[in-house]
Every structure is written in structure tokens, then in C-alpha cells.
Amino acid sequence: TDDANPDVFKAHAATVQCAAMSLDEADGWIEMINSLDKARGVPVIVNTAARNSAGVARYGQTLKSTLGELGRTMVTLWVINRQRDSLELLADYLDVMPVSADHQVHVVRNLYYGSSDKFQLYCGSELKKRIERSGGKTIDLPDLADRVADELATKRLTLQAAMGEMPLGHRAELIRWRDEAFKSLAQVMS
């Protein structure tokens, strides 16, 4: 749903059913809910724009109110850096989209920004306690070597495509990262 910078969409459009829609407007939320309705029983991943807090504040309840009828549980993986803004945006998000029986929220520390012990603002925060009291977890997204990450982003490669195209050293690093990322995500996905 990131229509301004649709890197994920562009990387995966040829291999996975994808749709681009704007969650800045009511029509985008309606289109997303209709798509979810058509895809019952199939997991759906929504990659939102970083700027999406205004759209969520205005229209997030539109989605939340339909989860029961859709028969879906929403799992939010909120990726943070070490800066205050990602925590403030998460607090705002939780005000609009609170944790409930049909909505889980987990925090993902992006280790691109440093080791997990450097996320001191989050680790010592009331926000972390709030997430964990509600059953949410804090997991780590491992850092990926810059040269591999840059090639993935520049060429808009899926992991599968990268495995067929990158040199051996790049692939070895990508496999290491993928295995670590899967272990982290397995803690919150079932």
C-alpha cells in the first residue's frame, strides 16, 4: 500500500499476487478490505508507507471493524529504529488500533541501526511494557551486509531471485540473514 515508494510491490509483482492502493484515502481502505474479503483463508501481507499514520488515524477503524466478519486476526509487526519518532508513531498507532482478540502487535528492532542493547529508548520505555503486557513480543530483524542489502534494493530483487543471480558470497550472507530472520519471525507467527 506504499504507492509513493512501492519497492516491495515492484520486487514481488511478477511472482506474488499484489495490489497497489493508497491508504491515505477512504477508497484505498475500502479496496483493501474488499481484497481481504476475496482472499479469505489466505494470509495477506500489507506493507504500508512510513507516512501512513494519518491514514490509519482517519480510516484504521474501518479495517478493525471488519476483522471479525472477515474471520481474520491482524498481526502488526511494527519496525523501529533507535530514534524517538518510531516509538511516538507506535504509541499513536496503538491509540487508534489497540491490541484486542483479533489484533496482535509485536515490535521489530531493525538491527541495521545497531545491536539490540542500543535500543535503550525502547527497552526502558513504558511502551515496551504496554506491548508485552498485551501479549506482544519484541523481536530482532538481523542486519544484512550492506553490499547485499544495496543490491537487493537497487535491483528490486526478491530473495528467491537474488539466490539465482547474486555471487556466492552474497548468497551465503543472504542465507545467513534469511535463516536468522525466519527464527525471529517464528516467535510471533504461527
Side-chain angles (χ1 to χ4, degrees):
T1 60
D2 185 352
D3 59 344
N5 185 23
D7 289 339
V8 173
F9 175 81
K10 287 178 180 177
H12 292 275
T15 58
V16 176
Q17 183 178 351
C18 294
M21 54 195 74
S22 172
L23 295 186
D24 295 328
E25 304 164 4
D27 285 344
W29 289 86
I30 294 166
E31 183 180 351
M32 181 174 67
I33 293 166
N34 289 338
S35 295
L36 291 169
D37 191 28
K38 290 176 188 170
R40 286 183 186 247
V42 177
V44 175
I45 297 170
V46 179
N47 176 48
T48 64
R51 70 175 193 289
N52 199 40
S53 57
V56 169
R58 280 193 301 272
Y59 308 112
Q61 190 56 37
T62 304
L63 171 62
K64 189 126 172 58
S65 69
T66 64
L67 291 174
E69 189 173 341
L70 288 167
R72 291 189 176 271
T73 298
M74 186 166 94
V75 178
T76 299
L77 299 176
W78 192 273
V79 182
I80 63 169
N81 56 32
R82 293 171 35 206
Q83 314 256 317
R84 179 174 304 281
D85 64 332
S86 62
L87 303 183
E88 290 171 348
L89 290 169
L90 173 56
D92 293 345
Y93 177 77
L94 289 171
D95 289 342
V96 175
M97 303 290 281
V99 174
S100 62
D102 56 8
H103 181 217
Q104 305 169 15
V105 177
H106 305 287
V107 172
V108 181
R109 292 181 291 207
N110 186 348
L111 300 188
Y112 170 82
Y113 296 101
S115 62
S116 58
D117 61 328
K118 291 188 176 191
F119 284 75
Q120 294 172 359
L121 277 177
Y122 172 70
C123 290
S125 71
E126 286 300 316
L127 192 54
K128 181 177 189 283
K129 292 175 189 171
R130 179 178 171 191
I131 292 288
E132 292 177 354
R133 272 194 311 266
S134 68
K137 295 185 178 172
T138 301
I139 63 171
D140 294 329
L141 181 66
D143 187 22
L144 177 62
D146 289 345
R147 67 172 59 190
V148 179
D150 291 348
E151 190 167 340
L152 279 172
T154 301
K155 294 183 177 179
R156 293 190 173 115
L157 296 172
T158 64
L159 297 182
Q160 184 178 9
M163 291 301 187
E165 161 173 339
M166 287 185 168
L168 181 59
H170 287 59
R171 292 192 318 261
E173 167 62 2
L174 189 56
I175 290 167
R176 179 205 61 80
W177 177 87
R178 182 195 62 194
D179 291 348
E180 285 185 34
F182 281 177
K183 285 179 199 169
S184 286
L185 290 170
Q187 298 174 58
V188 297
M189 306 304 285
S190 53

